[in-house]
Amino acid sequence: MASKSTTSLKKRKREASPLRTGFKLASHSVGSNEVGPVLVSFPSLEAPSSTAFRCYRKKAKKSNDEASAEIVVAGETDVVELESNDAESRRVASAGCRYVIAVHNKRTSTLTALPTTMSPYILTHTVKALKSIEPAPAPSALEYFQARTALGETFGTKKAKAAIRARERNRVDVGAMEGVMDFVMAGIDKAAEGLMTTEEAKELADNSRPVPPFSLTATDPSDVYPLHGIIPETEWKSLPVSALYEAGSAHNRKQILPFRGSDWVNTRLESIMQQTEKDKKRSLKILFYVSCMMAFRRCTERKFTKEDLPTKLARVPGAVVDSLLARFTECPRGSSAPRSTPQLDLLLLSHMLALCLRIDNYAADHALIARDLSLATEKITAVFKTLGCKVVTLSERARARLGLPDSVANEKRAVLTAPVQFPKQRLKKTTKTTR
């Protein structure tokens, strides 16, 4: 027989709960125009169980249908007011979590559930004693910055504190500047007196372009770059073209030219020889001068001496050689030997191509000229654009005016129009580095 102490230590078994006799759905669901049981959620403050809640419908502004009105759940205690928050309730409903409300009858052990699901209403509370107090204004940017600085000085790391001190040293005291702003502005105005205006800056930029003398007001392409601005009159008079008339064949005329390796010059020479006498001599002189410039450039692109030029440029008149040396070469410091530079070579090319535009009736074949000069087409194109040309495909009317065949319909030409429009200079991008 077990002792009484042993018997008291034994655990009492829990009495079995009565078996549920069934689960059933309610006979009808809550209609859209009815207010039935609702679910509420207390995220921050839970109201006492004795708090009474009521449901209200808040009609939409543009609708009189009660079914479309929003339901508001509200209740209050002696201390707080509780009301459902529409925005939070919609957010929870859109999350997809819904619940089923059921009533358990303990007497019959049956569970009766509503046939429709619902989402909870999120309640927010307002303390009644604080309703009459005006809300504190949002801190300004300066107040926020000062509070952040104070927090960083108190709890920040050494690196953060050093950054705060550096920022304070670099901060400009606007109040201290109020008394001297008039003097500062007067000093700026005085210092700006010697600065160029926009028009003066544009004029200076145009005059510093590596191109021959030009006219911005010319309305005809032939007047944009005056001929004697490229070929001085003294050189123009010294250009010999009588030998080109006396030569009996294209081969003999080619031998007279200072630079015989240019297909552009050779084809234009034969085309000019077939023209009438009007402006024929003028065109031959321009073409002969272009050949002189090509020969001069071929000699000066390598190391040379002034004494070698009369031999290498035997077919070029002496006045032309001296002028080309003076305009397109320079002597380095401490030396008397002339040398060409990239800037002077660009200036020489621009003068040469301006003459080529005259021969080609201001629609030059830039690709052929680039092959003759052994240069990349892109470089010659860039020089033509510096002159104010646009590299475009000619229309059928333009080809007919220039006497070009249809076989060159897809080829581009460097076209000069008037008044001349120079390309805008691109500003260099600068990168700002912080330490």
Side-chain angles (χ1 to χ4, degrees), residues 233-268:
E233 293 189 17
T234 54
E235 298 176 60
W236 179 261
K237 296 177 181 179
S238 65
L239 295 175
V241 294
S242 58
L244 297 175
Y245 284 99
E246 297 172 358
S249 63
H251 176 73
N252 294 336
R253 282 189 290 270
K254 183 179 178 180
Q255 300 302 316
I256 297 172
L257 296 174
F259 185 76
R260 299 188 293 271
S262 172
D263 293 336
W264 183 89
V265 173
N266 296 332
T267 55
R268 270 60 178 176

Side-chain angles (χ1 to χ4, degrees), residues 249-251 253-254 265-275 284 287:
S249 63
H251 176 73
R253 282 189 290 270
K254 183 179 178 180
V265 173
N266 296 332
T267 55
R268 270 60 178 176
L269 177 59
E270 296 308 311
S271 177
I272 293 173
M273 293 302 298
Q274 303 301 323
Q275 297 176 1
L284 287 176
L287 201 63

Side-chain angles (χ1 to χ4, degrees), residues 27 31 73 75 90 109 120-121 137 149 227 284 361:
S27 60
V73 181
R90 284 194 297 269
S109 190
Y121 289 85
T149 301
L227 178 61
L284 287 176
N361 202 7

Side-chain angles (χ1 to χ4, degrees), residues 102-117:
V103 178
H104 178 230
N105 191 334
K106 293 183 178 180
R107 184 174 57 83
T108 60
S109 190
T110 57
L111 190 67
T112 305
L114 288 175
T116 57
T117 60

Side-chain angles (χ1 to χ4, degrees), residues 91-103:
R91 186 181 63 82
V92 173
S94 63
C97 184
R98 302 182 69 83
Y99 300 87
V100 175
I101 296 181
V103 178

